[in-house]
Amino acid sequence: MSAPIRVLICDDQALIRTGFTTIIDAQPDLEVVGECGDGRAAVDLAGRLNPDLVVMDVRMPVLDGIEATRLLAGAGVEHPTKVLVVTTFNLDEYVYEALRAGASGFLLKDAPPAQRLHGIRTIASGAALLAPEVTRQLVGRYAARIRPAESTPDDDALTPRELEVLRLIADGLSNREIAATLVISQETVKTYVSRILTKLDLRDRVQAVVYAYRNGLVI
């Protein structure tokens, strides 16, 4: 058997931490290795416990979840830790900043247990948790903030087809939808996505969406 996914829970509400811990520890492939109530404690604990993933609240005392995420998974972090952000409101004002800080995705606090577990496993596997419909809402609401007035995209590294795929990712299309749009197989789409992430030095689809909008590749 493979080792269980080691999870650190960070939320300033004890009831929320208990809820997450209860459903996680009931799974044979998951294990809660620590709990804390503020971002500073999360950073310190992550350094000591080396979890596979941190479930991070946004609004907390001492150090909020965005800054904690940046310290754990942001640009320049030598050994980044995967972060799943949990938030009370869908697409509240902090979600985009959390994703930009390095989070691999987010869930609502009132998401069903099965969805929480799926999110943890998805991010632990190296994938991003940002559903296509959520991507559409995110970029629709924050497009102006994501895309600066001046930008010089490093898109010369991408082929025309890869640029096309990147734009469709930023439009919120899933691999299946991209395959149908371009009349190619889903496996081919996966290959293009992998190449795009590698060429642009991006971690996942979330970063690809932000990159596309910040560099004006999507109108």
Side-chain angles (χ1 to χ4, degrees):
M1 292 181 61
S2 59
I5 298 168
R6 305 173 72 253
V7 182
L8 173 64
I9 308 295
C10 182
D11 195 295
D12 63 340
Q13 297 182 50
L15 188 60
I16 297 294
R17 296 199 303 271
T18 299
F20 266 106
T21 299
T22 299
I23 65 170
I24 291 171
D25 279 343
Q27 306 302 308
D29 61 329
L30 303 176
E31 175 189 9
V32 173
V33 296
E35 298 180 28
C36 57
D38 66 77
R40 173 54 60 190
V43 174
D44 293 342
L45 273 179
R48 298 204 310 267
L49 300 175
N50 192 30
D52 297 305
L53 178 143
V54 178
V55 175
M56 183 79 72
D57 187 19
V58 173
R59 303 171 186 174
M60 294 182 294
V62 184
L63 187 70
D64 66 36
I66 294 173
E67 289 305 315
T69 297
R70 187 171 288 113
L71 292 173
L72 290 171
V77 176
E78 186 174 359
H79 301 292
T81 302
K82 297 181 178 70
V83 177
L84 170 61
V85 170
V86 291
T87 179
T88 304
F89 302 104
N90 190 12
L91 296 177
D92 68 19
E93 62 185 287
Y94 299 103
V95 169
Y96 165 69
E97 295 299 337
L99 294 174
R100 191 174 180 184
S104 292
F106 74 95
L107 281 176
L108 299 181
K109 284 188 178 182
D110 60 358
Q115 190 173 342
R116 300 187 204 182
L117 296 171
H118 171 72
I120 290 170
R121 293 184 177 109
T122 297
I123 290 180
S125 73
L129 186 72
L130 194 60
E133 61 272 16
V134 173
T135 302
R136 295 186 184 104
Q137 294 179 57
L138 180 68
V139 298
R141 182 167 176 176
Y142 294 107
R145 187 187 305 180
I146 294 173
R147 182 169 58 250
E150 298 181 2
S151 60
T152 55
D154 183 25
D155 55 9
D156 290 341
L158 302 182
T159 66
R161 181 61 109 182
E162 289 165 351
L163 273 173
E164 194 172 11
V165 171
L166 176 58
R167 291 188 177 103
L168 292 175
I169 292 172
D171 280 338
L173 273 65
S174 66
N175 284 355
R176 178 179 298 179
E177 292 170 330
I178 293 173
T181 299
L182 300 180
V183 195
I184 56 179
S185 70
Q186 290 190 59
E187 288 302 316
T188 300
V189 173
K190 290 179 182 178
T191 298
Y192 279 128
V193 172
S194 178
R195 288 177 184 170
I196 291 167
L197 299 181
T198 299
K199 287 183 176 182
L200 299 180
D201 193 25
L202 303 173
R203 187 185 60 236
D204 51 39
R205 292 172 77 101
V206 172
Q207 290 192 346
V209 171
V210 174
Y211 175 93
Y213 274 83
R214 288 183 65 191
N215 291 289
L217 299 180
V218 180
I219 299 176

